[in-house]
Amino acid sequence: MSAASQRWTVARLGTAQTLAWASSYYLPAMLAAPMARDLGVATPTVFAAFSVALIVSALLGPFAGRAIDRHGGRPVLVGTNLLFAAALVGMALAQGPVGLFAAWVLMGVAMGSGLYEAAFATLVRLYGQGARSAITGITLIAGFASTVGWPLSAWMETQWGWRGACAGWAALHLLVGVPLNGWLPRADAAEKATEPSTDAIAAPATEPAVSAPPTPAHPLRTTVLLSFVFAVTWFTSTAMAAHLPHLLQASGTSLQAAVAMAALVGPAQVAARLLEFGFLRRLHPLLSAQLAAAAHPVGAGLLMVLGGPGAAVFTVLHGAGNGILTIAKGTLPLVLFGPAGYGARQGLMMVPARVAQAFAPVLFGMALDRAGAAALWLTTLLGLAALGALWLLRPVARA
């Protein structure tokens, strides 16, 4: 498959992922409060429904990955656009907590089969071992999901109310998401395009063959360690997304400065992904993941020692590390296990991560309320443990 064709695939899938993230993961930040007021429930109830969706997505991930392994990503992702639209329409029509939770459960089904893990599996199904750059490419585009999603949700809520905003997002899935994912290459066509020609088959045996990825000496241990790293990454990322301004205030930063510092996370993520796309692409993905895993603990240590003056450095390091670790979730299983069965394996590894993500806002919020800025010890120690897990993988990756 040509480089131009791969770039168009990345552009289409990255744009579709931006829509998927903006209308699901980033939806409650703007619409939870008006939803709660209109439905007569507390705002935490809306976030509880969102947590249920995350748990449902964790349970559905392995099945979606297996379906992509078998049939390719195009039919699965087009189906998730329809599920996203149905869930959003369900929210728009909800008249109480029962309807709200039912809509979020359906949203969880869509999230479990339509976010990054499904997109990564789609790219691996299309490009095999050559999917690393494509994975980085879609995270570069979808890294702006909050930048696009939050203002657009706020604008639609102002114009049409929260129900109209949900309906608007549903329409975008049908009018934009379905065509974007529907234009993805068919998996069988991609396989034919990458099959060796008869000339290549007849070439002399002196041509060096492309080496297959090494099989880990201890597959179960490798799977457990990667699952732990991904769970820590999602826990920390979600905890910071929910509480970063409050955490920075507890560290001695003013409210205005805390909000400004928190806004640095997105640019830091994108900048780190550009670095991954350029210089770090020459390194083994495990090494870039180790560097990224160290970023949050280092930044947290500076914040705890320096207080407010260390806020900007902490925020940038956290964002940069999180940006690269998002890519590592896609590339490490590929480089350690190879493309065979990638989707199902990826979905299975992400089950603990999705569960950790569901509970992260509550658990870190409780720690922050009780311990203030010292709550950062929780994510620091988890980050160091994840770094240790990645270090244990080092001999396996080089086998």
Side-chain angles (χ1 to χ4, degrees):
M1 188 171 291
S2 69
S5 174
Q6 182 169 330
R7 284 195 294 269
W8 274 111
T9 298
V10 169
R12 288 191 291 262
L13 187 53
T15 305
Q17 282 293 294
T18 302
L19 172 60
W21 281 93
S23 59
S24 60
Y25 185 80
Y26 294 110
L27 193 72
M30 293 292 106
L31 300 186
M35 276 183 184
R37 285 195 303 267
D38 190 36
L39 296 174
V41 299
T43 301
T45 301
V46 179
F47 283 100
F50 176 55
S51 295
V52 170
L54 292 173
I55 293 173
V56 171
S57 74
L59 300 177
L60 266 291
F63 298 99
R66 195 172 294 116
I68 292 173
D69 287 339
R70 189 170 302 165
H71 305 294
R74 187 170 74 167
V76 174
L77 291 174
V78 169
T80 60
N81 285 124
L82 302 178
L83 287 172
F84 277 123
L88 289 159
V89 169
M91 288 182 202
L93 298 176
Q95 299 300 316
V98 174
L100 177 70
F101 272 82
W104 274 106
V105 167
L106 186 57
M107 180 66 83
V109 176
M111 293 169 70
S113 51
L115 294 181
Y116 271 153
E117 290 74 43
F120 294 163
T122 297
L123 292 173
V124 171
R125 183 74 164 80
L126 291 172
Y127 306 121
Q129 289 285 67
R132 181 179 179 182
S133 294
I135 288 172
T136 304
I138 65 166
T139 63
L140 276 172
I141 298 171
F144 292 99
S146 61
T147 306
V148 173
W150 285 338
L152 188 52
S153 288
W155 180 83
M156 288 192 289
E157 195 273 330
T158 301
Q159 297 296 315
W160 309 318
W162 72 268
R163 295 181 188 275
C166 290
W169 282 117
L172 286 173
H173 273 285
L174 297 176
L175 299 175
V176 179
V178 168
L180 284 173
N181 284 322
W183 289 336
L184 293 174
R186 291 170 57 94
D188 53 356
E191 287 169 356
K192 290 178 182 177
T194 55
E195 284 178 356
S197 66
T198 55
D199 292 338
I201 294 173
T206 54
E207 292 292 329
V210 177
S211 60
T215 301
H218 304 285
L220 179 59
R221 186 189 74 165
T222 302
T223 300
V224 170
L225 290 173
L226 281 179
S227 298
F228 174 74
V229 171
F230 298 160
V232 169
T233 301
W234 273 115
F235 180 92
T236 302
S237 173
T238 307
M240 293 299 105
H243 299 291
L244 183 56
H246 186 190
L247 172 65
L248 296 179
Q249 284 182 270
S251 301
T253 307
S254 68
L255 174 59
Q256 185 177 8
V259 172
M261 297 300 177
L264 295 174
V265 171
Q269 288 185 147
V270 173
R273 289 168 184 171
L274 285 170
L275 183 64
E276 162 69 20
F277 192 72
F279 173 74
L280 292 180
R281 183 169 53 174
R282 305 171 188 174
L283 304 179
H284 194 288
L286 191 57
L287 178 56
S288 61
Q290 289 167 347
L291 293 173
H296 180 90
V298 169
L302 290 173
L303 181 62
M304 286 188 283
V305 170
L306 300 177
V313 177
F314 164 70
T315 304
V316 168
L317 285 174
H318 165 72
N322 187 66
I324 293 177
L325 286 170
T326 300
I327 299 170
K329 292 191 209 77
T331 57
L332 283 180
L334 175 62
V335 77
L336 292 177
F337 290 97
Y342 175 93
R345 184 179 298 110
Q346 176 81 345
L348 183 63
M349 287 181 182
M350 288 303 296
V351 170
R354 291 291 188 189
V355 174
Q357 182 185 37
F359 290 101
V362 174
L363 294 179
F364 191 79
M366 292 171 57
L368 190 58
D369 289 341
R370 291 191 177 190
L376 204 53
W377 276 108
L378 174 60
T379 54
T380 299
L381 293 175
L382 285 173
L384 292 173
L387 180 60
L390 288 169
W391 186 259
L392 289 175
L393 284 172
R394 184 175 156 194
V396 179
R398 296 180 177 178

